[in-house]
Amino acid sequence: MRLSRTPLLLALASPLWLAACSPSAPPPADTAAADPAQGPATAIPEGRPTPGETVPSSGLSPDAVTAGSPAPDAAAPAAGDAATPTAGAADTPASANGDVRQRIEQVLGDAAQYETVFNAFQKAVNGGDRAAVVEEVRFPLNIANGARITGPGEFQRNYERILTPAVRKAIAAQKFDDVMVNQQGVMIGDGQVWLNGTCLDQACSRTEVKVVTIQ
């Protein structure tokens, strides 16, 4: 018996027609078609703002200093360099705290040597004896604006610039009984001149007092 092929073909074609007519599955939620005019789509990393999103300001400029990092320090003296002495607000004339010689002995030692150098330096400056002035100075000598004089020759060449009329006036007016005394030394005037001692041996049993600052 011969079967007609038409019903058989219809039966086989029906599933194919149904598949062709079925709607396409929607694309994954995180996938979007690229706009040809915009170029290929770029994925936005997690945590980054999307286009049009307002980013809260952190209050820091791009060149802000990293939190916790120390600010640059101000220029500091190199190791071993002595800072130029300055008069502090807490300093008072030694005579206000008792005898100046006793105060020197307590803070600096050998008051007699300080008095000797003070008198010799004052006499030399008042008399214009430059050679005698140099004898009472320790080099390098601190002068104004943080500069230093390295030796006697340089000091003599700059004598008038270092020992100005104002400095000479302060030296002439100073009385030893009224000098200021602190750990930086003995001060003449308002800080125009400082005297201090240096140890001559490891035990500091011998010291030498000189003028260390003129400014």
Side-chain angles (χ1 to χ4, degrees):
M1 181 175 58
R2 189 172 181 181
L3 298 175
S4 174
R5 295 194 305 177
T6 300
L8 180 60
L9 293 174
L10 290 174
L12 295 174
S14 294
L16 297 176
W17 291 341
L18 291 173
C21 294
S22 298
S24 301
D30 58 349
T31 304
D35 185 350
Q38 299 295 330
T42 302
I44 299 175
E46 184 179 355
R48 293 185 60 183
T50 56
E53 179 182 351
T54 301
V55 181
S57 173
S58 65
L60 295 177
S61 61
D63 57 350
V65 178
T66 303
S69 61
D73 293 338
D81 288 349
T84 301
T86 56
D91 293 338
T92 56
S95 57
N97 295 322
D99 184 74
V100 63
R101 293 159 188 84
Q102 181 181 355
R103 172 70 172 160
I104 293 174
E105 291 286 348
Q106 292 173 345
V107 178
L108 303 169
D110 200 354
Q113 189 177 179
Y114 276 90
E115 187 170 9
T116 299
V117 173
F118 172 90
N119 290 333
F121 180 72
Q122 186 180 63
K123 180 180 178 181
V125 171
N126 291 344
D129 189 344
R130 298 190 180 191
V133 170
V134 170
E135 290 297 319
E136 306 305 327
V137 172
R138 179 185 303 136
F139 298 99
L141 172 72
N142 297 313
I143 61 172
N145 301 318
R148 286 188 170 189
I149 298 296
T150 58
E154 186 181 4
F155 180 84
Q156 294 286 16
R157 291 192 298 272
N158 294 277
Y159 188 91
E160 297 293 339
R161 183 170 66 89
I162 298 168
L163 281 160
T164 63
V167 172
R168 294 198 300 270
K169 181 179 180 180
I171 294 170
Q174 183 67 61
K175 295 180 179 179
F176 186 75
D177 287 338
D178 297 329
V179 294
M180 194 87 71
V181 180
N182 61 24
Q183 292 181 345
Q184 298 179 85
V186 168
M187 186 182 83
I188 295 176
D190 294 324
Q192 287 90 343
V193 178
W194 286 83
L195 285 68
N196 210 339
T198 185
C199 297
L200 298 179
D201 54 36
Q202 189 172 1
C204 206
S205 59
R206 296 183 303 113
T207 60
E208 181 184 55
V209 174
K210 294 286 186 179
V211 172
V212 297
T213 299
I214 304 176
Q215 57 189 2

